[in-house]
Amino acid sequence: MSVADHVDLEQFMAGVERRNPGETEFIQAVREVAEDIYDFMEDKVHYHEAQILRRIAEPDRVISFRVCWEDDNGSIRVQRGYRVQNNNAIGPYKGGLRFHPSVNQSILKFLAFEQTFKNSLTGLPMGGGKGGSDFNPKGKSNNEIMRFCQSFMTELYRHVGEDTDVPAGDIGVGAREIGYMFGQYKRISNKFTGVLTGKGLEFGGSLVRTEATGYGAVYFMQNMLGTKSDSCEGKTAVISGSGNVATHAAEKVLQLGGKVITLSDSQGFIHDPDGMSQEKIDWVKHQKTVARAPLSEYADKFSGSSWHAGEKPWGIACDIALPCATQNEMDGEQAKTLVKNGCIAVSEGANMPVNLDGVHVFKDAGILYAPGKASNAGGVAVSGLEMSQNSGRISWSEDQLQDQLKDIMKGIHDTCAEYGKGHLSNGGCDYVKGANIAGFVKVADAMLAFGVV
Ligand code: NDP
C-alpha cells in the first residue's frame, strides 16, 4: 500500500464536513491542522494506514446532558452541559470548562481537538478534552452561580476523575466556579482528589496558575522576538480581551518593558495611548472579575483614553499584537491592517482568535506568528504541574513554578521552531506548522503503539 492509495486533503476534509454537519468551528480547526499534517505525512505511510488523523478528528466521546437549576425567583431553568473527551493517548483528558451562551458542540469539539495538540506540546502527560455549558453567568447572583455549578457537577462527576479527565476553567469559569464545582464533587464522591485544576490555594490549587496563560503567551512572544535578537522592551502592544488571559498578558508585557495601549471586551475596546500602568491593569481586573462591570468605564476613570463601542482594536498601530478574547475575533482584513500598520509579531492568548484567512495573511507576510495551541499552553502546563503537586500532596514555591513556566514555554517555542523553521515563503519559521506537527507526532506515535483501539 502506498501513500497515493489514501485520500487526499480535500477528500479527507469532505469526509470531516459530511460527518460533522454545520460544525463550522470544528471543521475550521481540523482543516488548519490537516493542511500541515498532510504535507508532513506525505512520505509516512504508517500514519495513513492507521488512519491516525481521522481518529484524532473523531472525539473518543461527546457527553451532553441536561442541567436544571433554580433561579432567585424560584423559576426552573434548563441548560445543556457538555464534556468532549477528544483523545487520551498520552494522558488523562485535560481541558477547561466554558460557561457562555455561545457554547455548542462545534465550539467544544474544536477546543477539545486543539487541546489535544496543545497538551502534547507541553511535554506533560495530558490528553485533550473540553466542556462547558450555554449557561450565561453574566448578571447572575452568587447563589445562582453556585446552584448552577452544583447541578452541572452532579452529572459531570461520573465522567471525570484524577486519572480519567481533569477539567479546569475557561471563559466564564474562574476560581469561584471551580470552588463550587470542586465542593460538589467532593460531596458526591467523598474523595479529595485533584479532579479539577485552577483550585483555590487553600484546597490544592497551584501558585502561578492564574497568571500562567497570559504570562506564557508573552514568554512565547519574547522567545520569537529573541530569534531576531529583539525583545518586548520598548514595543507597543495591542491586546484584546479583558479577562484572565488578557490582563495577565498585559501585566507581563509591562514587566518586560513594553507599552500596552488597548484592552477590549464583548462591547468594544479601550485605547490608552499613554500606555497602561500596573494600577490601570489592576483596575481592569477588579472591574471585570469583582465589580463585574463594563470595561467602557475605563475611559471615564483614566484621562487620555477613549472607548470605541462595538469595535475591535486591530486598527490601532502597534509593534506586537496579542489576541486574548475569543475564537475568530480577527479576520483576514483585520490581519492585513495590522501588518500594514507595522505589526511584526502576533502571539495568540485565546484559542483560534484569528480565522483561516487571517492565518494565511500572517504566513504570507512572513511575520512572527504563534498559534494559540502553542503560545497559550502555559495555563494547561501549570495545570499539569497542579496535578503533579496534588498527586504528590506537595506545593511548589512561586519561584519554582515561575521558572518551570518560563522553561516550558521556551521548550514549546523551540520544538515548534524546530519543525517549522524555513517553512514560510520568506524563509522564516512557520510556527503554525511547527506546532501542528510537533503536537501530532507524539499523540500519533502513542496511538500507533496501542494498535486499533
Ligand atoms: P475570561 O472569561 O476571563 O475573559 C474573556 C474575555 O473575552 C472577556 O474580556 C470577554 O468580554 C471577552 N469576550 C468574550 N466573548 C467575546 C466576543 N464574542 N467578542 C469579544 N470579546 C469577547 O476568559 P479567559 O481570559 O480565561 O479566556 C480567553 C481566551 O483564552 C479563550 O479563548 C480561552 O479559551 C483561552 N484560554 C484560556 C485559558 C485560561 O487559562 N483561562 C487557557 C488557554 C486558553 P466580556 O466580559 O464582555 O464577556
Side-chain angles (χ1 to χ4, degrees), residues 188-208:
I188 299 173
S189 65
N190 196 27
K191 282 187 198 149
F192 194 111
T193 61
V195 68
L196 291 164
T197 57
K199 299 185 292 296
L201 293 178
E202 310 77 12
F203 51 94
S206 176
L207 288 163
V208 186

Side-chain angles (χ1 to χ4, degrees), residues 98 138 170-172 209 213 242-245 265-266 288 325 351:
R98 176 177 293 190
K138 273 187 201 153
D170 191 74
I171 292 178
R209 173 61 189 91
T213 306
S242 50
N244 173 278
V245 180
D265 69 7
S266 55
K288 295 299 288 186
N351 286 310

Side-chain angles (χ1 to χ4, degrees), residues 111-412:
L111 288 164
F113 178 77
E114 287 278 295
Q115 194 83 41
T116 303
F117 298 90
K118 181 190 307 191
N119 292 0
S120 166
L121 283 172
T122 65
L124 300 173
M126 299 182 289
K130 202 85 185 188
S133 172
D134 56 0
F135 173 71
N136 184 0
K138 273 187 201 153
K140 302 290 187 302
S141 72
N142 199 28
N143 278 338
E144 288 176 324
I145 299 280
M146 182 182 71
R147 287 196 290 274
F148 177 81
C149 289
Q150 290 176 340
S151 183
F152 183 83
M153 185 48 92
T154 301
E155 172 60 31
L156 186 70
Y157 93 95
R158 68 188 84 243
H159 307 292
V160 296
E162 61 181 326
D163 297 321
T164 310
D165 184 353
V166 183
D170 191 74
I171 292 178
V173 178
R176 174 180 63 165
E177 291 75 17
I178 293 288
Y180 291 146
M181 286 191 273
F182 186 72
Q184 183 72 348
Y185 179 85
K186 194 168 64 59
R187 173 160 75 173
I188 299 173
S189 65
N190 196 27
K191 282 187 198 149
F192 194 111
T193 61
V195 68
L196 291 164
T197 57
K199 299 185 292 296
L201 293 178
E202 310 77 12
F203 51 94
S206 176
L207 288 163
V208 186
R209 173 61 189 91
T210 314
E211 305 91 313
T213 306
Y215 280 18
V218 180
Y219 288 143
F220 201 102
M221 170 70 80
Q222 185 85 331
N223 281 307
M224 288 198 297
L225 292 168
T227 64
K228 310 268 183 205
S229 307
D230 205 346
S231 76
C232 290
E233 192 167 357
K235 298 284 182 300
T236 300
V238 158
I239 300 181
S240 65
S242 50
N244 173 278
V245 180
T247 52
H248 290 103
E251 193 167 289
K252 185 50 74 180
V253 168
L254 186 66
Q255 287 170 10
L256 294 178
K259 179 168 155 185
V260 178
I261 56 169
T262 69
L263 283 175
S264 71
D265 69 7
S266 55
Q267 306 306 309
F269 79 91
I270 279 292
H271 182 206
D272 188 345
D274 296 338
M276 296 186 186
S277 60
Q278 186 63 47
E279 182 207 344
K280 292 175 176 177
I281 296 168
D282 288 344
W283 181 89
V284 174
K285 285 185 190 171
H286 186 272
Q287 181 81 348
K288 295 299 288 186
T289 58
V290 182
R292 297 183 192 272
L295 181 65
S296 56
E297 290 171 12
Y298 184 105
D300 306 323
K301 173 94 183 149
F302 301 107
S303 63
S305 65
S306 52
W307 171 248
H308 301 259
E311 289 183 43
K312 297 192 189 309
W314 313 126
I316 303 293
C318 62
D319 303 312
I320 59 176
L322 292 118
C324 295
T326 193
Q327 67 272 359
N328 291 328
E329 55 169 315
M330 192 192 303
D331 61 20
E333 286 308 310
Q334 291 162 328
K336 275 185 199 156
T337 305
L338 269 181
V339 173
K340 184 168 65 72
N341 286 342
C343 178
I344 58 167
V346 177
S347 176
E348 296 182 346
N351 286 310
M352 209 168 71
V354 180
N355 76 4
L356 260 178
D357 289 346
V359 171
H360 289 140
V361 168
F362 292 145
K363 284 191 181 195
D364 293 347
I367 68 164
L368 298 167
Y369 166 57
K373 65 171 72 73
S375 47
N376 72 28
V380 76
V382 175
S383 275
L385 302 179
E386 183 173 333
M387 288 165 72
S388 303
Q389 293 171 82
N390 291 166
S391 301
R393 303 209 192 288
I394 47 170
S395 300
W396 291 327
S397 70
E398 163 130 25
D399 286 350
Q400 276 173 303
L401 287 156
Q402 292 283 12
D403 287 348
Q404 290 193 69
L405 172 62
K406 220 183 281 184
D407 288 350
I408 289 172
M409 294 314 297
K410 168 102 174 63
I412 297 173

Side-chain angles (χ1 to χ4, degrees), residues 11-22 27 54:
Q11 288 171 306
F12 170 77
M13 283 311 303
V16 171
E17 286 173 29
R18 200 175 52 249
R19 288 189 297 278
N20 303 279
I27 294 164
R54 178 160 175 196

